[in-house]
Amino acid sequence: MDRYILASQSPRRRELLHLVIKDYEVIPSEGEEVVSSTDPDQVVQELSMQKALEVAKKVRPCEGDRIIVIGADTVVAVDREILGKPQDRADAARMIGMIQGREHHVYTGVTVCTVEGSTPKDGGNPEPQYFSFSEETAVDVFPMNRGEIEGYVSLEEPYDKAGAYGIQGAFSIFIRGIRGDYNNVVGLPAARLYHELAARGLV
């Protein structure tokens, strides 16, 4: 029996994962995030791997069962410079100022860890097996004047999101277009994840 776990408490990722897997649990990762790269696509893969492995090592499958843990991380990058979550209103306004009137890129890394249940004769706990991938989407933003930027950062929306905006929220009126997977910008490339899982017999 397969048991699916999402290593994230993001409500957006929960909704998107439900498109791929109907029944799953949520066990958020809690470890410190450490990266060794500055390339956005590598950073998100490293972070998603850390999240998935942390949770995979906490759970123990029953004999004959298989646990499948999915970790994800999303960053926004302008000219390969990563924009994290804003620290305050001024930081949010700075970030929106960087992405307005131009194209930027959103990267989501996904790691899938599998842990097979061992039999008593096997002894010990098997090490998780995993694979990672990243998806990139280009987002083009209309030019915004100072009043529009200040109006947007006065909302609650920007402050828990990479790059200080949510494409599915109030910021959507400033999106001129995208190239790539919309769901990737929201936080999880559901179509890519489905096909990666299907190719390995995991869904």
Side-chain angles (χ1 to χ4, degrees):
M1 178 179 177
D2 287 339
R3 174 187 171 195
Y4 295 92
I5 299 173
L6 175 63
S8 170
Q9 58 186 357
S10 164
R12 297 172 292 279
R13 291 199 180 106
R14 292 186 192 187
E15 292 175 6
L16 290 170
L17 183 58
H18 191 67
L19 300 173
V20 182
I21 300 163
K22 299 305 178 186
D23 297 310
Y24 63 88
E25 304 167 50
V26 175
I27 304 179
S29 61
E30 300 173 338
E32 181 181 358
E33 297 181 347
V34 179
V35 294
S36 62
S37 175
T38 57
D39 287 334
D41 52 344
Q42 292 301 314
V43 166
V44 291
Q45 288 189 63
E46 284 189 33
L47 293 175
S48 70
M49 179 187 67
Q50 291 170 25
K51 292 176 180 180
L53 281 174
E54 177 198 321
V55 173
K57 290 177 179 179
K58 290 179 180 177
V59 295
R60 293 290 178 266
C62 298
E63 180 182 340
D65 288 349
R66 178 172 61 178
I67 291 176
I68 301 166
V69 181
I70 299 166
D73 195 85
T74 302
V75 301
V76 171
V78 178
D79 298 329
R80 308 291 289 182
E81 177 186 345
I82 295 174
L83 304 182
K85 296 178 182 179
Q87 298 179 353
D88 51 32
R89 181 167 175 161
D91 197 28
R94 178 186 67 84
M95 292 184 187
I96 298 300
M98 291 178 68
I99 66 173
Q100 65 84 26
R102 59 166 298 175
E103 184 179 86
H104 65 275
H105 295 81
V106 179
Y107 300 82
T108 296
V110 179
T111 295
V112 177
C113 286
T114 59
V115 186
E116 302 278 354
S118 60
T119 62
K121 65 180 181 180
D122 293 333
N125 295 308
E127 282 294 310
Q129 303 297 309
Y130 68 90
F131 66 90
S132 302
F133 64 87
S134 64
E135 190 74 13
E136 176 184 356
T137 302
V139 181
D140 190 19
V141 180
F142 279 108
M144 299 171 65
N145 60 41
R146 186 171 185 82
E148 289 169 332
I149 294 174
E150 288 298 327
Y152 180 68
V153 301
S154 69
L155 306 175
E156 293 183 5
E157 181 176 295
Y159 298 98
D160 67 337
K161 298 175 179 66
Y165 79 91
I167 195 171
Q168 74 278 23
F171 198 76
S172 61
I173 63 172
F174 300 111
I175 301 297
R176 181 153 43 191
I178 69 170
R179 288 187 291 109
D181 184 355
Y182 171 86
N183 288 332
N184 187 55
V185 185
V186 179
L188 187 71
R192 172 81 181 274
L193 175 60
Y194 169 77
H195 288 281
E196 294 282 355
L197 292 172
R200 294 167 172 82
L202 297 176
V203 68

